[in-house]
Amino acid sequence: HNRIKTFIATISSSTMSTKSTSFVDEPVPKRKKWCHLPKGYFNLMFKNKKYRLYLLSHCCQHIGDWYIRIASLLAINRLSPNSSEAISAFVLVQTLTQVTFSQVGGALADSMDRRKLMMTLDFTGALVTLGFLFALRSNSIVEFYIFGALRAFVQALYDPTTRSIVPMLVSDMADLKRATTVNGLAWAFFMAVGGIVAGKTEVVFGLQGCFVIDSVTYGISALILSMMRGDFKVPNKNLDRTNEEEITKMKQKKGFASRIISILCYPLTACCGMLLDVAVYLWKCGFGLIVVLKASGAFCWGAADVLNVKYATIPNDEDSSSARLGFLFSCLGIGCFMGPIVASFVTNAERPATTQLVCISAFSALVLSWIGMSQSVQFQLICFFTTVRAFGDSVIWVNSTLLLQQLVSAEFLGRILAVDYMLTETSDAISVWVVGYLLDNGVGTSAVALGLGVLSATVFSVWSIYHLFGLGAARKNTVRLQKLKSTSTGLNAGSLKSPSDEADISRV
């Protein structure tokens, strides 16, 4: 009995020692995560509350934008049937308004709290959008143009602000790249879904329902932004010092009339001074031509809406035309959704030259799509090549914005993005006007598409030479400038840690 007890005790002790040894030596297997997103994207969207609220507000904006974009095209087609010039005129009115006031939006973004400015513009846009209902009720295309210009005014102020606030929501360049990619994917997703849903909504609730939904999304966006806490005004010592000097001069002036004139002229002089600073910055920074990258692409894809209406229109069948137009926009959404995902795998946040190369390579997709559309007759092939073109559009759009966000200092970012926006909208308007004029004067859609393909090939060749010569983001000094910027106090904080870093940037 004693021998059996001793044997059992020996076995038990050896077993326990084996278990304890295996417990110490072998790591505990990790539980599988429920979310299969890459860790960086997971942390950005689920642990960064400020960016999460911004993304929700951003999505609300996109929902309304695609509703009103399709509704506007269909409304003009109803008020002025089968007129490409009417559509071109509407786009031109919007574009001229955006070009005129986009610099004001950039100046406001660099001098005010960006979150509060976005909230104010959201509430303003909600009221302006309801004006389209009065234009439809009176069947007046002139009133429709007026309210379109007012909404474009709000959009011109909003766009530089919403893009320049993104670097203030993230902590490093890698998160900035992820945030820009997610914003592009959200835009593409709601383009794909909004194209179909907006077309169906127009059939069920009419055009008035689309405009009401756009107004509601503006209000929801403002409410979401009100939940975001923090100060989103960029510290700009030079601008503050200039403002103080101007205010001192106004106080020193004698006479009531001279003071009133100084106060009234102060916004204009301040805006001109800020624009002059931007011009000097673009001239000296070494990558100023990147501002034209997106605008050169807009020359190639700007007239797509006019051609989409031509491809989708079925005579005397408005419901089928609405459905086909919505399907074309959905194909745009699919291509735009794929573009940023593919580009994110081949770009490096620490090497801006890769981002620039991807943007330039995307012009080849535009060449292929326009040449393919010029030889296509079936609606299915038109949809396929539309998806290919949208793939290239989204890569250029998202990554050109990312390049500017990576390289431009925070105190200039709002104004630089406003210049980018102004040039893009100008190119878009020129493309739309030229194509609308050609279509109304007997030139076929196939000839127009072939011409756009040749234009895309020319632009692709010019930017390829630019990159091969080591210009723009491909310059070695540009990479070093980005590294110095990323080591500053926070991402895009606008102030460096030490005077030696400031001297380094001056030498670059």
Side-chain angles (χ1 to χ4, degrees):
H1 178 72
N2 290 335
R3 287 181 179 178
I4 293 173
K5 286 177 64 177
T6 305
F7 178 72
I8 293 175
T10 304
I11 294 176
S12 300
S13 62
S14 63
T15 306
M16 290 297 293
S17 63
T18 304
K19 287 183 178 180
S20 62
T21 303
S22 63
F23 179 78
V24 173
D25 295 339
E26 297 179 5
V28 179
K30 295 182 179 180
R31 295 178 61 185
K32 293 184 178 180
K33 294 182 179 180
W34 62 272
C35 182
H36 297 282
L37 285 172
K39 185 178 179 180
Y41 287 93
F42 177 83
N43 293 335
L44 176 65
M45 289 189 287
F46 294 97
K47 294 186 179 181
N48 189 335
K49 183 180 179 181
K50 292 180 180 179
Y51 177 74
R52 185 168 66 250
L53 291 173
Y54 167 81
L55 182 61
L56 292 174
S57 170
H58 201 58
C59 291
C60 291
Q61 284 288 326
H62 289 319
I63 293 172
D65 286 345
W66 285 109
Y67 265 96
I68 203 167
R69 185 171 183 177
I70 294 177
S72 298
L73 294 175
L74 294 174
I76 293 173
N77 202 33
R78 175 189 296 181
L79 296 174
S80 182
N82 299 322
S83 176
S84 299
E85 286 188 351
I87 298 174
S88 300
F90 178 73
V91 176
L92 190 61
V93 166
Q94 286 190 312
T95 304
L96 289 176
T97 306
Q98 291 167 346
V99 167
T100 304
F101 295 100
S102 60
Q103 294 304 310
V104 179
L108 292 175
D110 285 342
S111 58
M112 297 178 62
D113 188 299
R114 291 169 179 173
R115 180 185 69 90
K116 294 179 181 179
L117 181 59
M118 290 168 64
M119 291 174 57
T120 304
L121 293 174
D122 277 332
F123 285 122
T124 306
L127 297 176
V128 169
T129 305
L130 295 177
F132 286 104
L133 301 178
F134 297 99
L136 289 176
R137 180 173 296 180
S138 60
N139 288 325
S140 173
I141 194 169
V142 176
E143 292 182 10
F144 197 87
Y145 285 170
I146 292 173
F147 286 109
L150 291 175
R151 190 182 185 279
F153 169 75
V154 175
Q155 189 66 27
L157 302 183
Y158 195 92
D159 188 85
T161 309
T162 188
R163 287 194 290 162
S164 61
I165 199 177
V166 176
M168 305 180 73
L169 305 174
V170 296
S171 57
D172 53 32
M173 288 293 176
D175 275 349
L176 178 60
K177 174 187 171 183
R178 297 185 189 105
T180 307
T181 302
V182 171
N183 292 345
L185 294 177
W187 174 69
F189 174 77
F190 285 106
M191 182 195 291
V193 175
I196 296 177
V197 175
K200 297 296 182 181
T201 303
E202 192 277 332
V203 174
V204 177
F205 298 104
L207 293 175
Q208 291 83 355
C210 294
F211 292 114
V212 170
I213 290 175
D214 180 53
S215 180
V216 171
T217 55
Y218 266 119
I220 296 174
S221 174
L223 292 176
I224 293 174
L225 289 174
S226 66
M227 303 177 190
M228 191 187 299
R229 296 291 180 264
D231 183 15
F232 294 93
K233 182 179 179 180
V234 178
N236 192 335
K237 296 181 181 179
N238 295 329
L239 182 61
D240 294 338
R241 185 169 60 252
T242 304
N243 291 339
E244 291 176 0
E245 292 175 356
E246 292 292 335
I247 293 172
T248 304
K249 289 180 182 179
M250 285 190 290
K251 290 181 178 179
Q252 291 175 350
K253 288 192 175 182
K254 298 180 180 180
F256 179 77
S258 60
R259 287 188 180 182
I260 293 296
I261 294 174
S262 300
I263 293 173
L264 293 177
C265 295
Y266 172 68
L268 179 61
T269 57
C271 185
C272 292
M274 295 176 74
L275 294 179
L276 180 61
D277 292 340
V278 169
V280 173
Y281 181 84
L282 289 175
W283 178 260
K284 293 184 177 181
C285 67
F287 51 84
L289 283 178
I290 295 178
V291 179
V292 192
L293 181 59
K294 189 187 298 180
S296 62
F299 271 117
C300 305
W301 71 63
D305 283 348
V306 180
L307 290 172
N308 285 339
V309 173
K310 285 289 185 180
Y311 289 132
T313 301
I314 298 177
N316 302 322
D317 193 348
E318 185 175 344
D319 292 344
S320 298
S321 299
S322 301
R324 283 164 65 101
L325 186 61
F327 192 76
L328 276 176
F329 277 111
S330 298
C331 292
L332 280 172
I334 294 172
C336 291
F337 191 83
M338 295 167 57
I341 294 177
V342 175
S344 65
F345 287 108
V346 295
T347 55
N348 187 346
E350 303 299 329
R351 296 178 59 196
T354 60
T355 307
Q356 180 175 285
L357 180 60
V358 165
C359 287
I360 296 171
S361 302
F363 280 95
S364 61
L366 303 184
V367 177
L368 175 64
S369 64
W370 284 124
I371 293 178
M373 292 177 74
S374 67
Q375 305 299 320
S376 302
V377 179
Q378 298 180 352
F379 184 71
Q380 292 82 356
L381 289 176
I382 297 295
C383 293
F384 170 76
F385 287 113
T386 298
T387 305
V388 174
R389 178 180 57 79
F391 179 92
D393 294 353
S394 62
V395 171
I396 298 170
W397 187 279
V398 172
N399 287 277
S400 61
T401 300
L402 176 60
L403 265 179
L404 295 175
Q405 290 173 338
Q406 286 177 327
L407 300 175
V408 178
S409 177
E411 59 193 56
F412 290 98
L413 185 58
R415 285 166 284 173
I416 297 295
L417 289 174
V419 173
D420 170 65
Y421 182 75
M422 178 189 69
L423 295 175
T424 303
E425 293 300 322
T426 303
S427 302
D428 190 75
I430 294 173
S431 178
V432 167
W433 182 81
V434 171
V435 170
Y437 178 81
L438 292 175
L439 291 174
D440 283 347
N441 284 273
V443 180
T445 54
S446 298
V448 171
L450 183 60
L452 291 172
V454 174
L455 177 63
S456 302
T458 304
V459 175
F460 174 55
S461 302
V462 172
W463 281 112
S464 299
I465 295 172
Y466 177 81
H467 184 81
L468 289 175
F469 275 88
L471 301 175
R475 297 176 62 182
K476 294 181 180 180
N477 288 341
T478 304
V479 177
R480 189 178 174 212
L481 177 61
Q482 191 221 14
K483 289 181 179 179
L484 288 171
K485 179 183 170 186
S486 63
T487 58
S488 60
T489 307
L491 180 62
N492 275 337
S495 61
L496 298 173
K497 286 184 175 180
S498 64
S500 61
D501 286 341
E502 187 173 2
D504 286 340
I505 282 191
S506 299
R507 286 195 296 272
V508 170

